[in-house]
Short mmCIF file of all heavy atoms in Angstrom, two decimals:
data_model
loop_
_atom_site.label_atom_id
_atom_site.label_comp_id
_atom_site.label_asym_id
_atom_site.label_seq_id
_atom_site.Cartn_x
_atom_site.Cartn_y
_atom_site.Cartn_z
N ILE A 69 11.44 -12.26 -9.69
CA ILE A 69 11.29 -12.68 -8.29
C ILE A 69 10.35 -11.75 -7.51
O ILE A 69 9.49 -12.11 -6.81
CB ILE A 69 12.65 -12.76 -7.57
CG1 ILE A 69 13.43 -13.95 -8.12
CG2 ILE A 69 12.45 -12.91 -6.05
CD1 ILE A 69 14.86 -14.02 -7.62
N GLY A 70 10.51 -10.43 -7.79
CA GLY A 70 9.65 -9.44 -7.14
C GLY A 70 10.43 -8.33 -6.51
O GLY A 70 11.65 -8.20 -6.79
N SER A 71 9.79 -7.58 -5.63
CA SER A 71 10.48 -6.44 -5.06
C SER A 71 10.36 -6.51 -3.51
O SER A 71 9.43 -7.07 -2.93
CB SER A 71 9.87 -5.12 -5.53
OG SER A 71 8.52 -4.99 -5.18
N PHE A 72 11.32 -5.87 -2.87
CA PHE A 72 11.39 -5.83 -1.44
C PHE A 72 11.52 -4.34 -1.03
O PHE A 72 12.17 -3.57 -1.72
CB PHE A 72 12.63 -6.54 -0.91
CG PHE A 72 12.59 -8.05 -1.25
CD1 PHE A 72 13.07 -8.44 -2.49
CD2 PHE A 72 12.17 -8.95 -0.31
CE1 PHE A 72 13.07 -9.84 -2.78
CE2 PHE A 72 12.13 -10.29 -0.67
CZ PHE A 72 12.58 -10.75 -1.86
N GLN A 73 10.84 -4.00 0.08
CA GLN A 73 10.85 -2.59 0.56
C GLN A 73 10.69 -2.61 2.07
O GLN A 73 9.93 -3.46 2.62
CB GLN A 73 9.76 -1.82 -0.10
CG GLN A 73 9.63 -0.38 0.31
CD GLN A 73 8.46 0.32 -0.44
OE1 GLN A 73 7.79 -0.27 -1.26
NE2 GLN A 73 8.25 1.56 -0.11
N ILE A 74 11.27 -1.70 2.76
CA ILE A 74 11.10 -1.54 4.23
C ILE A 74 9.74 -0.98 4.49
O ILE A 74 9.35 -0.01 3.81
CB ILE A 74 12.18 -0.62 4.82
CG1 ILE A 74 13.59 -1.20 4.62
CG2 ILE A 74 11.88 -0.33 6.27
CD1 ILE A 74 13.90 -2.40 5.43
N GLY A 75 9.02 -1.53 5.39
CA GLY A 75 7.73 -0.96 5.82
C GLY A 75 7.76 -0.75 7.32
O GLY A 75 8.54 -1.41 8.01
N ILE A 76 7.09 0.21 7.85
CA ILE A 76 7.07 0.51 9.27
C ILE A 76 5.63 0.64 9.78
O ILE A 76 4.70 0.81 9.06
CB ILE A 76 7.87 1.85 9.61
CG1 ILE A 76 7.26 3.01 8.84
CG2 ILE A 76 9.34 1.62 9.29
CD1 ILE A 76 7.87 4.37 9.21
N SER A 77 5.51 0.45 11.12
CA SER A 77 4.21 0.57 11.78
C SER A 77 4.35 1.56 12.89
O SER A 77 5.42 1.67 13.53
CB SER A 77 3.75 -0.77 12.33
OG SER A 77 3.58 -1.70 11.34
N SER A 78 3.29 2.27 13.24
CA SER A 78 3.21 3.13 14.38
C SER A 78 1.77 3.23 14.87
O SER A 78 0.88 2.81 14.10
CB SER A 78 3.74 4.53 14.10
OG SER A 78 2.83 5.25 13.31
N ASN A 79 1.58 3.70 16.02
CA ASN A 79 0.22 3.97 16.53
C ASN A 79 -0.29 5.21 15.88
O ASN A 79 0.54 6.04 15.33
CB ASN A 79 0.19 4.12 18.11
CG ASN A 79 0.60 2.82 18.74
OD1 ASN A 79 0.11 1.78 18.32
ND2 ASN A 79 1.40 2.84 19.76
N GLY A 80 -1.59 5.46 15.97
CA GLY A 80 -2.19 6.72 15.43
C GLY A 80 -2.11 7.84 16.48
O GLY A 80 -2.27 7.58 17.69
N TYR A 81 -1.91 9.06 16.00
CA TYR A 81 -1.84 10.21 16.89
C TYR A 81 -2.73 11.29 16.35
O TYR A 81 -3.08 11.32 15.19
CB TYR A 81 -0.38 10.68 17.03
CG TYR A 81 0.52 9.66 17.68
CD1 TYR A 81 1.17 8.69 17.00
CD2 TYR A 81 0.57 9.60 19.09
CE1 TYR A 81 1.90 7.72 17.58
CE2 TYR A 81 1.34 8.59 19.70
CZ TYR A 81 1.98 7.67 18.94
OH TYR A 81 2.74 6.72 19.53
N ASP A 82 -3.06 12.26 17.22
CA ASP A 82 -4.00 13.33 16.87
C ASP A 82 -3.43 14.41 16.01
O ASP A 82 -4.11 15.08 15.24
CB ASP A 82 -4.62 13.92 18.15
CG ASP A 82 -5.50 12.96 18.88
OD1 ASP A 82 -6.11 12.09 18.27
OD2 ASP A 82 -5.56 13.05 20.14
N THR A 83 -2.11 14.64 16.13
CA THR A 83 -1.45 15.69 15.37
C THR A 83 -0.19 15.16 14.69
O THR A 83 0.44 14.22 15.20
CB THR A 83 -1.05 16.86 16.26
OG1 THR A 83 -0.04 16.46 17.20
CG2 THR A 83 -2.27 17.42 17.03
N PRO A 84 0.19 15.80 13.58
CA PRO A 84 1.45 15.39 12.88
C PRO A 84 2.68 15.55 13.72
O PRO A 84 3.65 14.76 13.67
CB PRO A 84 1.48 16.26 11.68
CG PRO A 84 0.16 16.80 11.50
CD PRO A 84 -0.54 16.80 12.83
N LYS A 85 2.66 16.52 14.59
CA LYS A 85 3.84 16.80 15.45
C LYS A 85 4.13 15.64 16.44
O LYS A 85 5.25 15.42 16.81
CB LYS A 85 3.61 18.12 16.23
CG LYS A 85 4.80 18.60 16.93
CD LYS A 85 4.58 19.99 17.58
CE LYS A 85 5.86 20.43 18.23
NZ LYS A 85 5.74 21.76 18.80
N GLU A 86 3.07 14.90 16.83
CA GLU A 86 3.23 13.81 17.76
C GLU A 86 3.92 12.63 17.11
O GLU A 86 4.40 11.73 17.80
CB GLU A 86 1.88 13.36 18.28
CG GLU A 86 1.18 14.37 19.22
CD GLU A 86 -0.20 13.93 19.62
OE1 GLU A 86 -1.14 14.21 18.81
OE2 GLU A 86 -0.31 13.27 20.66
N VAL A 87 3.90 12.55 15.80
CA VAL A 87 4.48 11.41 15.09
C VAL A 87 5.96 11.67 14.89
O VAL A 87 6.38 12.52 14.14
CB VAL A 87 3.78 11.14 13.74
CG1 VAL A 87 4.41 9.99 13.06
CG2 VAL A 87 2.27 10.96 13.91
N THR A 88 6.80 10.89 15.64
CA THR A 88 8.24 11.04 15.55
C THR A 88 8.81 9.62 15.40
O THR A 88 8.11 8.64 15.48
CB THR A 88 8.82 11.64 16.87
OG1 THR A 88 8.61 10.71 17.96
CG2 THR A 88 8.18 12.98 17.20
N SER A 89 10.13 9.54 15.21
CA SER A 89 10.74 8.26 15.06
C SER A 89 10.56 7.40 16.30
O SER A 89 10.60 6.21 16.18
CB SER A 89 12.24 8.42 14.69
OG SER A 89 12.90 9.12 15.74
N ASN A 90 10.39 8.01 17.45
CA ASN A 90 10.18 7.23 18.68
C ASN A 90 8.84 6.49 18.70
O ASN A 90 8.65 5.56 19.49
CB ASN A 90 10.27 8.16 19.90
CG ASN A 90 11.64 8.68 20.13
OD1 ASN A 90 12.63 8.03 19.76
ND2 ASN A 90 11.78 9.82 20.72
N GLN A 91 7.91 6.89 17.85
CA GLN A 91 6.62 6.25 17.84
C GLN A 91 6.58 5.04 16.83
O GLN A 91 5.54 4.41 16.73
CB GLN A 91 5.51 7.25 17.43
CG GLN A 91 4.95 8.02 18.59
CD GLN A 91 5.96 8.94 19.29
OE1 GLN A 91 6.66 9.64 18.61
NE2 GLN A 91 6.06 8.85 20.58
N ILE A 92 7.66 4.79 16.15
CA ILE A 92 7.63 3.67 15.26
C ILE A 92 7.80 2.40 16.06
O ILE A 92 8.68 2.25 16.87
CB ILE A 92 8.80 3.76 14.19
CG1 ILE A 92 8.54 4.99 13.30
CG2 ILE A 92 8.88 2.48 13.41
CD1 ILE A 92 9.64 5.34 12.37
N THR A 93 6.80 1.50 15.92
CA THR A 93 6.73 0.31 16.79
C THR A 93 7.34 -0.89 16.18
O THR A 93 7.71 -1.83 16.86
CB THR A 93 5.26 -0.01 17.17
OG1 THR A 93 4.49 -0.21 15.94
CG2 THR A 93 4.64 1.12 17.99
N LYS A 94 7.45 -0.87 14.81
CA LYS A 94 7.96 -2.13 14.19
C LYS A 94 8.46 -1.75 12.76
O LYS A 94 7.85 -0.93 12.09
CB LYS A 94 6.86 -3.14 14.11
CG LYS A 94 7.25 -4.48 13.48
CD LYS A 94 6.14 -5.53 13.61
CE LYS A 94 5.10 -5.40 12.50
NZ LYS A 94 4.13 -6.44 12.46
N ALA A 95 9.48 -2.44 12.37
CA ALA A 95 9.93 -2.38 10.95
C ALA A 95 9.87 -3.80 10.39
O ALA A 95 10.10 -4.73 11.12
CB ALA A 95 11.39 -1.81 10.87
N LYS A 96 9.56 -3.87 9.14
CA LYS A 96 9.51 -5.17 8.47
C LYS A 96 9.87 -5.03 7.03
O LYS A 96 10.05 -3.86 6.51
CB LYS A 96 8.07 -5.76 8.58
CG LYS A 96 7.01 -4.92 7.88
CD LYS A 96 5.65 -5.51 8.08
CE LYS A 96 4.62 -4.62 7.36
NZ LYS A 96 3.29 -5.19 7.39
N ILE A 97 10.03 -6.11 6.35
CA ILE A 97 10.30 -6.08 4.93
C ILE A 97 9.08 -6.53 4.16
O ILE A 97 8.52 -7.66 4.39
CB ILE A 97 11.51 -6.96 4.57
CG1 ILE A 97 12.78 -6.42 5.27
CG2 ILE A 97 11.73 -7.05 3.05
CD1 ILE A 97 13.96 -7.27 5.07
N ASN A 98 8.57 -5.67 3.30
CA ASN A 98 7.40 -6.02 2.43
C ASN A 98 7.92 -6.64 1.21
O ASN A 98 8.88 -6.11 0.55
CB ASN A 98 6.59 -4.73 2.12
CG ASN A 98 6.03 -4.12 3.38
OD1 ASN A 98 5.58 -4.80 4.26
ND2 ASN A 98 5.89 -2.83 3.37
N TYR A 99 7.31 -7.73 0.80
CA TYR A 99 7.62 -8.42 -0.46
C TYR A 99 6.44 -8.35 -1.38
O TYR A 99 5.32 -8.60 -0.96
CB TYR A 99 8.00 -9.90 -0.15
CG TYR A 99 8.03 -10.75 -1.37
CD1 TYR A 99 9.01 -10.59 -2.34
CD2 TYR A 99 7.08 -11.69 -1.61
CE1 TYR A 99 9.04 -11.35 -3.49
CE2 TYR A 99 7.10 -12.49 -2.74
CZ TYR A 99 8.07 -12.30 -3.68
OH TYR A 99 8.10 -13.08 -4.77
N ARG A 100 6.70 -8.02 -2.58
CA ARG A 100 5.68 -7.98 -3.66
C ARG A 100 6.16 -8.93 -4.76
O ARG A 100 7.21 -8.66 -5.40
CB ARG A 100 5.44 -6.59 -4.17
CG ARG A 100 4.76 -5.70 -3.17
CD ARG A 100 4.62 -4.31 -3.74
NE ARG A 100 4.23 -3.37 -2.67
CZ ARG A 100 5.10 -2.74 -1.88
NH1 ARG A 100 6.40 -2.92 -2.05
NH2 ARG A 100 4.66 -1.91 -0.98
N PRO A 101 5.44 -10.00 -5.01
CA PRO A 101 5.94 -10.96 -6.03
C PRO A 101 5.87 -10.35 -7.42
O PRO A 101 5.06 -9.50 -7.77
CB PRO A 101 4.94 -12.13 -5.90
CG PRO A 101 3.72 -11.58 -5.29
CD PRO A 101 4.19 -10.43 -4.40
N GLY A 102 6.85 -10.81 -8.20
CA GLY A 102 6.93 -10.40 -9.66
C GLY A 102 5.88 -11.15 -10.47
O GLY A 102 5.20 -12.08 -10.00
N LYS A 103 5.75 -10.83 -11.76
CA LYS A 103 4.79 -11.39 -12.62
C LYS A 103 4.83 -12.92 -12.69
O LYS A 103 3.78 -13.59 -12.59
CB LYS A 103 4.87 -10.79 -14.01
CG LYS A 103 3.76 -11.19 -14.96
CD LYS A 103 3.84 -10.49 -16.26
CE LYS A 103 2.70 -10.95 -17.17
NZ LYS A 103 2.79 -10.26 -18.47
N PRO A 104 6.01 -13.54 -12.84
CA PRO A 104 6.03 -15.01 -12.90
C PRO A 104 5.49 -15.66 -11.62
O PRO A 104 4.77 -16.71 -11.68
CB PRO A 104 7.51 -15.36 -13.06
CG PRO A 104 8.14 -14.13 -13.63
CD PRO A 104 7.36 -12.98 -13.06
N PHE A 105 5.72 -15.08 -10.48
CA PHE A 105 5.24 -15.65 -9.23
C PHE A 105 3.73 -15.43 -9.06
O PHE A 105 3.00 -16.28 -8.66
CB PHE A 105 5.96 -15.05 -8.02
CG PHE A 105 7.33 -15.64 -7.82
CD1 PHE A 105 8.42 -15.18 -8.54
CD2 PHE A 105 7.56 -16.63 -6.86
CE1 PHE A 105 9.65 -15.70 -8.36
CE2 PHE A 105 8.81 -17.15 -6.68
CZ PHE A 105 9.88 -16.71 -7.44
N LYS A 106 3.25 -14.24 -9.49
CA LYS A 106 1.79 -14.04 -9.52
C LYS A 106 1.06 -15.05 -10.43
O LYS A 106 0.02 -15.58 -10.10
CB LYS A 106 1.47 -12.62 -9.99
CG LYS A 106 1.87 -11.57 -8.97
CD LYS A 106 1.58 -10.16 -9.50
CE LYS A 106 1.98 -9.09 -8.53
NZ LYS A 106 1.69 -7.79 -9.05
N GLU A 107 1.67 -15.29 -11.58
CA GLU A 107 1.07 -16.27 -12.52
C GLU A 107 1.09 -17.68 -11.99
O GLU A 107 0.18 -18.44 -12.15
CB GLU A 107 1.77 -16.18 -13.88
CG GLU A 107 1.49 -14.89 -14.63
CD GLU A 107 2.34 -14.74 -15.88
OE1 GLU A 107 3.18 -15.57 -16.22
OE2 GLU A 107 2.15 -13.72 -16.57
N MET A 108 2.23 -18.01 -11.25
CA MET A 108 2.29 -19.33 -10.66
C MET A 108 1.18 -19.50 -9.58
O MET A 108 0.56 -20.51 -9.54
CB MET A 108 3.67 -19.49 -9.98
CG MET A 108 3.89 -20.77 -9.21
SD MET A 108 3.57 -20.78 -7.46
CE MET A 108 4.50 -19.39 -6.84
N LEU A 109 0.93 -18.46 -8.79
CA LEU A 109 -0.11 -18.51 -7.76
C LEU A 109 -1.44 -18.71 -8.42
O LEU A 109 -2.31 -19.50 -7.85
CB LEU A 109 -0.18 -17.25 -6.96
CG LEU A 109 1.09 -17.02 -5.99
CD1 LEU A 109 1.09 -15.67 -5.40
CD2 LEU A 109 1.14 -18.14 -4.93
N LYS A 110 -1.73 -18.12 -9.56
CA LYS A 110 -3.05 -18.26 -10.20
C LYS A 110 -3.25 -19.71 -10.75
O LYS A 110 -4.34 -20.16 -10.91
CB LYS A 110 -3.19 -17.29 -11.37
CG LYS A 110 -3.35 -15.86 -10.92
CD LYS A 110 -3.40 -14.93 -12.11
CE LYS A 110 -3.39 -13.47 -11.75
NZ LYS A 110 -3.34 -12.60 -12.88
N ALA A 111 -2.13 -20.34 -11.09
CA ALA A 111 -2.21 -21.66 -11.78
C ALA A 111 -2.15 -22.83 -10.77
O ALA A 111 -2.23 -23.98 -11.21
CB ALA A 111 -1.05 -21.79 -12.79
N LEU A 112 -2.01 -22.54 -9.51
CA LEU A 112 -1.90 -23.67 -8.54
C LEU A 112 -3.17 -24.49 -8.48
O LEU A 112 -4.28 -24.04 -8.75
CB LEU A 112 -1.65 -23.12 -7.13
CG LEU A 112 -0.34 -22.44 -6.86
CD1 LEU A 112 -0.27 -21.83 -5.47
CD2 LEU A 112 0.83 -23.38 -7.04
N ASN A 113 -3.03 -25.79 -8.14
CA ASN A 113 -4.19 -26.62 -7.84
C ASN A 113 -3.99 -27.15 -6.41
O ASN A 113 -2.89 -27.13 -5.89
CB ASN A 113 -4.40 -27.69 -8.90
CG ASN A 113 -3.21 -28.65 -9.04
OD1 ASN A 113 -2.94 -29.38 -8.08
ND2 ASN A 113 -2.48 -28.60 -10.12
N PHE A 114 -5.08 -27.55 -5.80
CA PHE A 114 -5.04 -27.85 -4.37
C PHE A 114 -5.64 -29.21 -4.10
O PHE A 114 -6.50 -29.77 -4.88
CB PHE A 114 -5.82 -26.80 -3.64
CG PHE A 114 -5.26 -25.44 -3.85
CD1 PHE A 114 -5.79 -24.60 -4.85
CD2 PHE A 114 -4.24 -24.94 -3.08
CE1 PHE A 114 -5.29 -23.34 -5.06
CE2 PHE A 114 -3.69 -23.68 -3.28
CZ PHE A 114 -4.25 -22.88 -4.29
#
């Protein structure tokens, strides 16, 4: 089926010290398809 992982977004800052948990603007779940799903995508017709 594939893998799932938490991903986060934040704005860019000038120094590492400015990057804190308060600067995280969004969390999401990243999905990466497994080999059977990748192969299925390659074989599709439209």
Side-chain angles (χ1 to χ4, degrees):
I69 292 173
S71 63
F72 298 84
Q73 179 179 358
I74 298 290
I76 58 175
S77 298
S78 74
N79 293 319
Y81 295 91
D82 294 329
T83 65
K85 190 174 181 175
E86 293 176 271
V87 181
T88 67
S89 60
N90 292 333
Q91 274 65 48
I92 296 171
T93 57
K94 181 173 83 172
K96 63 181 180 177
I97 296 175
N98 295 326
Y99 166 70
R100 291 178 192 85
K103 188 175 179 180
F105 283 81
K106 288 179 182 177
E107 290 172 359
M108 177 266 308
L109 290 171
K110 289 178 188 175
L112 292 175
N113 59 69
F114 303 93

